[in-house]
Amino acid sequence: MYRIVSAEEALKVVKSNDRVYIQAAAAAPQVLVKALSARHEELRNVEVCQLHTEGVAPYANPELKDSFHVNSFFLEKM
């Protein structure tokens, strides 16, 4: 059985030192991105993995560097 929860409640599963993947391009879930970033004071060293994303990315702001580490994937054609 599924139940609907708020973004804030859904993001409670993320803990310090976890790795989180943000879906690419326009599919980046802005409500979840904002809810995750809002938890910056209680989170440390969360790795945020992403391709190209569109929209806001407050987790990438320099002042949140202790909370989030951004790992962007880029492929280069050789």
Side-chain angles (χ1 to χ4, degrees):
M1 174 75 78
Y2 296 103
R3 69 183 179 100
I4 297 173
V5 298
S6 68
E8 293 76 19
E9 187 173 345
L11 271 291
K12 286 181 182 178
V13 300
V14 177
K15 306 286 185 242
S16 291
N17 301 306
D18 277 356
R19 179 179 293 134
V20 175
Y21 176 75
I22 305 293
Q23 182 60 38
Q30 294 297 295
V31 172
L32 296 177
V33 165
K34 291 173 187 175
L36 176 65
S37 299
R39 294 188 55 216
H40 68 91
E41 291 183 1
E42 61 186 277
L43 295 173
R44 291 291 172 263
N45 196 38
V46 173
E47 181 181 11
V48 179
C49 300
Q50 64 181 28
L51 294 167
H52 163 76
T53 59
E54 295 181 16
V56 299
Y59 53 80
N61 290 340
E63 60 269 16
L64 301 186
K65 66 179 174 48
D66 293 335
S67 300
F68 304 106
H69 166 72
V70 180
N71 188 353
S72 296
F73 304 131
F74 295 97
L75 301 175
E76 181 179 344
K77 183 178 178 182
M78 301 297 281

